[in-house]
Amino acid sequence: MAAAAGGVMGWFRAVSGDCGAGSGDPADPRHRVVSVLDRADGRSAGAGVVLAPDHLLTCAHVVNDALGKGIFDAGRPEDAVLRVHVQGPSGPRVGEARVVHWIPPRRLDDAQGPPGQGELEWDGDLAVLRVTAPAAELPDPADPAGPADPDGPPGRGSAPEPGGAPEFRAMRAGQSVRAWHGSALSGTYAEVRVRSCDGRVGYMDGALSGMAIGPGYSGGPLWSDADGAVVGLVAACVLPPVDPVSGRPLPYEARHITRRSWGIPWQRIEEELRRAGAGALLEGPVRDDDPAEAVLADLLANVFPTQMFRSDYARAVAERCGLGHPSDGSAPTPEEFARVLVTEERALAALTEVLRSRDPATVAALLATGRMSPVPRLLSPREHERLLALLDAVPTAVAEQLPEAVRAALPLVAELPYETARFGELLDQVEQLTGDSRSGPDELRVPGLLRAVEFAAVLCPGPERARLRLWADGVATRLGIPASALRERRADADEWALGRRRRTAPPRLLVQLAGAGADAFRLRMWSDDGTGPHRTATAPDRPYSAAQTAEAVLQVLERLCRSAPEGSRPVVEVLVDRDSLELPVDEWEFADPDGLIPGVLGAEYALVVHCPELLRRNERFLSDWRHRWEQLDCADPLAISGPSTGVREVYGRLLDRRDAARVSVEVPERVRTEVVQVCLAMGVPVVLWDRGADRDTSHAVRQAADAPARALPEQIRSYRAKTLHQPADHPGRPVLAWADPDRALPELQLAEPTETA
């Protein structure tokens, strides 16, 4: 097998940077190292390597050790679930795996029974694991094998995925190889040289400096930097002799073996796996032909007719993309060059970057052809790194507002994870957008990323703003986008920033609740900072309890508070159906993890309810709704009270008072629900009532009688807060319905109020 899936073959090949330093480069071979965790204490029992998508390779004795069995136990662990860490540029990701191919250690003489404890060599000892549960990103695990990872936490631009499968090649004597402890911490690498290899066992010696291969390294890949490939797995190390009584190492003598270990060569691994029925994992996926590849090959053959030119530009692309290449002056064929442009996502941008000043016409042709392929990204590696560096340099207070800028720049893109994604992940998705729709039929579309960067720039202080705009100018020039088009988007950003500074209305969080059983609800949320509702990530198929709902809502509100005008807090607008108007959402509570501070939704934030269902089903009153809202600040409040009040009476009074924008309801509980629903259905935008015990009068309603209409949400919030520290004096349980026709609702909510995602 020459290479695994994802490897770059031919003239270009994948290489790593300074592996010992633990780079964030996805080509770093350390990112192919797997940690197999001990079931008992969660520490590294040994290592492994990514073999193929969702499949990992390690030694069988590592699996036995992780399960607490004898290391040479031949029994297949049929139902055992192993926890594994798959390393990646942004840190390890934990998952679960099961054994799918089991080749236990066996004696060299084919005799029955496992190898003896004193034997130095054995056959077999391989296990293929299949990842059965998706990985979730975790911080680097603590491990006694070495110091903490000096790389630190990833920044906003760190790649989120593990490194993928490496290439595999035969082991041979003389190779310099590198191994890592099962923790894969960057400081645990050990450098050794293959001294002998008979195709079955390869012996390696290490210099008396740095780390030595020892316990915890078994099963890990042996990486040859010269070959850019894994050439085997660590199997065992030869330990110094020990005192037979105490078990402690004897004093060192010159005749003792020092830093010797042995590994399983790839050629034996391949033979054993094929014999065990795992050959399909060694072949790699069948590649679909990319529609742009052949066209690019013809174009490159015309642009670079001589090997010299093709070699110069190929080396430049390889260096920009972190790829290796021969140093003998050779060049890739046009087909090999085209292949790398549709497999390495930033290679095409890198090529146009180096060609920009020499041949702009060819750049345009390459970019047009590249749009036929789903692989190429907008930015070259240098442009991408520069953008992330610029964004990392902005002040923290500005960085927290960058998702808001992206949302404002791209208002029609509804599915971006504005609220929950790290900013680097958000930019990664924005980069894949084709562009806005304001370009003429003969003009290049301005990429959505450039528009987003312009909107982000206007939030930044002067120096950072200038640097981001210069960066955008450079990318636009490379892409051939007219300067006038970019200036137009820059003007849009300036206009948005001006309006944002003038904004006075507090942001709101729309929370849609739908029943999903006893004390269980389906939850969807939208944030609205004045530019319209934008979906906030939730788990739509998961039922939330009242406390879980409060927790999710409070987490989003904390983020919204950062963009609220000074001195104001977001308003929570709960979207419910007609039967849930009295749901006590304002009383739902979540305590922080240390249990010190409670979080009562309606006491911390102004919380109102809204029932679009009633308005939608009674559309003849929609014009009344807007008219009433326009009278909110000047019309007198309408009080509906009395033990004999009924629906027909309320209907008549509202027809008589078409300017009534604010209604308070104080009627017996048996008719209160119907009266409230009639008010809302007939377009009354503000309705206040008390869901407490059956009474004709309400302390909460009377307390708010003299408050201005627009002050009611805060007035009711204050009353709810008083119920916590003065419950005897504030017995009410007020509910405020609030329907502002000038603030949009999510389109899906208006189309079907009870629908859940």
Side-chain angles (χ1 to χ4, degrees):
M1 173 182 160
V8 180
M9 300 176 62
W11 193 88
F12 298 93
R13 64 179 177 84
V15 298
S16 64
D18 182 2
C19 303
S23 80
D25 177 7
D28 186 337
R30 184 171 64 94
H31 298 149
R32 277 75 169 182
V33 178
V34 176
S35 302
V36 181
L37 304 185
D38 192 295
R39 176 184 285 180
D41 58 16
R43 297 182 181 275
S44 299
V49 65
V50 177
L51 178 65
D54 298 326
H55 287 80
L56 314 173
L57 174 67
T58 186
C59 287
H61 79 262
V62 171
V63 174
N64 282 333
D65 193 28
L67 297 176
K69 302 167 64 176
I71 61 170
F72 290 146
D73 192 317
R76 180 189 177 101
E78 295 289 351
D79 300 318
V81 177
L82 295 158
R83 294 184 71 244
V84 294
H85 278 166
V86 182
Q87 305 300 323
S90 62
R93 299 163 67 89
V94 68
E96 294 180 352
R98 294 177 181 270
V99 174
V100 291
H101 295 285
W102 180 250
I103 307 172
R106 61 181 184 272
R107 297 166 61 96
L108 294 177
D109 58 7
D110 292 327
Q112 294 296 319
Q117 287 297 121
E119 294 190 31
L120 294 179
E121 300 177 7
W122 52 85
D123 277 335
D125 199 9
L126 297 170
V128 177
L129 314 179
R130 183 171 63 86
V131 178
T132 57
E137 196 163 26
L138 290 180
D140 284 345
D143 198 283
D149 193 341
D151 296 340
R156 285 194 294 269
S158 297
E161 296 300 327
E167 291 190 26
F168 296 89
R169 294 186 179 176
M171 181 186 289
R172 63 183 185 276
Q175 286 173 321
S176 293
V177 295
R178 175 174 291 174
W180 288 266
H181 183 266
S183 64
L185 296 178
S186 57
T188 64
Y189 68 95
E191 302 277 9
V192 295
R193 181 176 291 274
V194 180
R195 294 301 183 182
S196 69
C197 179
D198 61 4
R200 185 180 56 81
V201 170
Y203 276 99
M204 302 162 291
D205 289 343
L208 292 177
S209 62
M211 298 288 287
I213 290 177
Y217 283 74
S218 292
L222 290 165
W223 173 263
S224 168
D225 201 47
D227 293 282
V230 172
V231 299
L233 298 185
V234 177
C237 60
V238 181
L239 296 175
V242 297
D243 185 282
V245 178
S246 67
R248 296 178 178 176
L250 294 173
Y252 176 76
E253 296 183 7
R255 61 187 179 84
H256 288 167
I257 297 176
T258 304
R259 294 200 169 190
R260 172 160 293 177
S261 55
W262 69 268
I264 308 174
W266 173 250
Q267 49 267 48
R268 171 158 78 88
I269 294 173
E270 183 174 15
E271 179 184 343
E272 299 249 23
L273 291 181
R274 292 189 185 280
R275 192 162 52 235
L281 297 176
L282 308 179
E283 306 303 333
V286 177
R287 179 175 66 86
D288 295 331
D289 290 334
D290 192 293
E293 186 173 349
V295 182
L296 284 171
D298 292 340
L299 182 59
L300 293 171
N302 292 328
V303 174
F304 306 126
T306 67
Q307 178 175 311
M308 180 182 67
F309 278 119
R310 197 160 60 248
S311 176
D312 290 343
Y313 284 98
R315 283 200 305 273
V317 170
E319 290 164 4
R320 281 167 167 76
C321 295
L323 300 174
H325 61 83
S327 57
D328 56 5
S330 63
T333 65
E335 290 74 20
E336 286 178 316
F337 208 157
R339 175 61 186 151
V340 83
L341 298 183
V342 294
T343 53
E344 294 294 314
E345 57 187 18
R346 302 199 185 277
L348 181 61
L351 177 58
T352 62
E353 190 174 51
V354 297
L355 269 173
R356 180 180 64 185
S357 59
R358 171 182 176 268
D359 194 348
T362 296
V363 169
L366 286 169
L367 291 172
T369 305
R371 285 191 282 273
M372 299 166 55
S373 169
V375 175
R377 290 295 187 96
L378 176 73
L379 303 181
S380 71
R382 292 184 178 183
E383 291 168 342
H384 185 252
E385 292 170 7
R386 176 62 176 161
L387 176 59
L388 294 176
L390 290 172
L391 293 172
D392 278 336
V394 303
T396 302
V398 174
E400 292 173 346
Q401 301 173 58
L402 293 180
E404 179 190 355
V406 176
R407 181 171 59 239
L410 307 167
L412 300 181
V413 183
E415 296 303 319
L416 291 176
Y418 298 109
E419 303 293 342
T420 57
R422 295 184 306 174
F423 194 65
E425 298 172 14
L426 181 58
L427 284 183
D428 181 69
Q429 296 189 42
V430 172
E431 187 184 0
Q432 300 178 59
L433 302 178
T434 55
D436 59 37
S437 58
R438 295 175 55 186
S439 303
D442 299 325
E443 296 178 350
L444 291 173
R445 302 182 75 184
V446 178
L449 178 63
L450 290 188
R451 182 173 172 85
V453 168
E454 292 293 348
F455 275 65
V458 296
L459 296 178
C460 298
E464 286 82 1
R465 182 189 312 135
R467 294 186 188 104
L468 283 170
R469 286 179 166 176
L470 285 172
W471 176 91
D473 288 338
V475 176
T477 300
R478 175 178 65 81
L479 297 174
I481 294 170
S484 58
L486 190 61
R487 284 198 300 270
E488 185 179 0
R489 276 64 177 183
R490 191 164 292 169
D492 292 342
D494 288 334
E495 184 178 347
W496 167 74
L498 180 61
R500 186 177 182 272
R501 287 192 291 271
R502 293 172 176 170
R503 187 192 311 158
T504 57
R508 62 175 180 161
L509 178 66
L510 294 98
V511 179
Q512 181 192 18
L513 294 173
D519 189 32
F521 305 90
R522 304 289 183 189
L523 171 67
R524 286 201 294 175
M525 291 188 283
W526 297 261
S527 60
D528 182 1
D529 57 10
T531 61
H534 300 275
R535 182 73 178 271
T536 296
T538 56
D541 296 326
R542 165 195 164 188
Y544 287 75
S545 67
Q548 290 169 335
T549 301
E551 177 185 11
V553 171
L554 286 170
Q555 287 176 347
V556 177
L557 286 169
E558 185 176 351
R559 291 193 291 269
L560 281 179
C561 281
R562 302 185 188 121
S563 62
E566 186 174 355
S568 68
R569 306 192 85 191
V571 173
V572 181
E573 189 170 324
V574 183
L575 306 176
V576 294
D577 59 32
R578 61 192 299 178
D579 297 325
S580 303
L581 281 165
E582 296 197 353
L583 200 64
V585 182
D586 53 280
E587 298 177 6
W588 290 356
E589 179 177 347
F590 170 74
D592 61 14
D594 62 11
L596 178 62
I597 303 176
V600 181
L601 282 181
E604 285 199 32
Y605 296 91
L607 185 147
V608 299
V609 297
H610 190 177
C611 183
E613 174 190 4
L614 290 170
L615 284 168
R616 182 176 63 84
R617 293 186 177 182
N618 298 275
E619 292 186 358
R620 67 184 189 274
F621 294 108
L622 289 178
S623 59
D624 288 358
W625 175 35
R626 179 162 293 280
H627 173 72
R628 292 179 191 276
W629 180 261
E630 292 171 351
Q631 309 303 313
L632 183 64
D633 296 315
C634 56
D636 293 330
L638 175 61
I640 298 177
S641 60
S644 60
T645 301
V647 170
R648 290 182 66 84
E649 180 183 350
V650 174
Y651 171 71
R653 294 184 66 181
L654 291 177
L655 289 178
D656 186 42
R657 289 279 305 276
R658 288 187 180 274
D659 62 343
R662 167 184 172 182
V663 172
S664 60
V665 177
E666 293 180 280
V667 298
E669 184 180 12
R670 57 185 171 78
V671 295
R672 185 178 65 227
T673 300
E674 288 185 337
V675 169
V676 168
Q677 290 187 11
V678 168
C679 293
L680 297 175
M682 293 183 68
V684 178
V686 178
V687 182
L688 175 64
W689 72 97
D690 191 329
R691 67 166 174 270
D694 189 5
R695 60 173 71 91
D696 295 341
T697 61
S698 165
H699 180 267
V701 172
R702 297 298 170 89
Q703 285 279 304
D706 297 329
R710 295 186 187 274
L712 279 175
E714 177 59 24
Q715 182 87 6
I716 298 303
R717 185 209 64 78
S718 177
Y719 186 94
R720 290 167 178 154
K722 291 182 175 66
T723 65
L724 300 177
H725 70 96
Q726 298 175 354
D729 297 331
H730 297 81
R733 301 175 68 195
V735 183
L736 180 63
W738 191 275
D740 182 348
D742 294 327
R743 302 202 75 172
L745 289 176
E747 183 178 351
L748 182 58
Q749 173 66 31
L750 289 174
E752 180 51 67
T754 60
E755 182 178 347
T756 57

